[in-house]
Amino acid sequence: MTDWTKAQEGGCRCGALRFRLDGAPMLTSACHCTGCQKMSGSAFSLTLTVPAQAFELLQGEPVIGGLHGPVAHHYHCDHCKSWVFTRAEGMDWFVNIRTTMLDTPDDQPPFLEAWASEKLPWVETRATRSYPGDPDWNDWEVLTQEYAGTVGSAAST
C-alpha cells in the first residue's frame, strides 16, 4: 500500500519530465473508453486524481498531446511522448496523473472504473465502483469520501 503521508515522485519514461505529489489522491480510477485505450496502447488508463496544490512539476516542459480540444488537456513528455497527466478546462482544482508514472506505482486496484460500457470483455480491475460512462458529478463528494475511507482503513492494517 502506498504511504500517501510521504511525498511521491514520478516522471515520464525517459526521465525528462519529473513531478512530485505531496498528498493522497482524492480517487483512483481506470478508464475503459476507447480514447484511453488508444492513447495508452492498453485496455484502459489508470489515474490518480489529486488536488492541484498537491502536484508540482519538478523538471521539464510538458506538451499537449492526445485531446487538443477545449475540455481536457493531455500532457506528454516532448521527448519520449509518455502521457503523464491531464487537466480539465474549468476544473483547475485537480490534476489526473497516470498512476504508472509514479516511481513506485500504487499497488492497490483502482477504486472506480469509468466507461465500463467500452471495456474489453476480458478485463477485470477489481474496482469497487463501476460506471457505464463517467460518474455523475453529483456523486463526487460521496465517492471521494468513500475512497478516503478505504485509504485510511488500508493504511491502518
Side-chain angles (χ1 to χ4, degrees):
M1 177 94 194
T2 302
D3 183 354
W4 295 111
T5 64
K6 297 179 181 171
Q8 304 292 320
E9 290 193 8
C12 64
R13 183 174 183 167
C14 73
L17 197 62
R18 298 287 301 160
F19 65 86
R20 176 181 295 127
L21 298 181
D22 199 7
M26 298 181 280
L27 281 176
T28 61
S29 58
C31 182
H32 298 283
C33 79
T34 55
C36 282
Q37 290 174 19
K38 289 177 186 292
M39 288 226 341
S40 67
S42 186
F44 50 83
S45 68
L46 292 172
T47 299
L48 302 167
T49 300
V50 300
Q53 69 271 16
F55 175 74
E56 179 185 4
L57 196 57
L58 300 173
Q59 173 182 306
E61 276 301 315
V63 296
I64 294 178
L67 287 179
H68 289 261
V71 177
H73 303 289
H74 295 141
Y75 290 89
H76 297 251
C77 169
D78 195 30
H79 182 73
C80 69
K81 309 303 183 206
S82 295
W83 178 24
V84 180
F85 64 96
T86 301
R87 291 185 187 246
E89 191 79 23
M91 297 182 210
D92 299 338
W93 47 276
F94 72 89
V95 178
N96 284 331
I97 309 295
R98 304 284 71 74
T99 305
T100 53
M101 295 297 133
L102 289 175
D103 292 342
T104 306
D106 190 18
D107 60 359
Q108 297 300 301
F111 175 73
L112 70 83
E113 59 183 0
W115 288 97
S117 63
E118 297 181 5
K119 178 166 61 169
L120 297 175
W122 51 266
V123 171
E124 294 296 327
T125 66
R126 296 185 3 227
T128 302
R129 300 273 183 215
S130 182
Y131 294 86
D134 283 324
D136 189 311
W137 278 106
N138 293 321
D139 295 339
W140 178 258
E141 186 175 346
V142 170
L143 288 170
T144 56
Q145 288 175 354
E146 186 177 345
Y147 173 73
T150 66
V151 171
S153 65
S156 64
T157 56

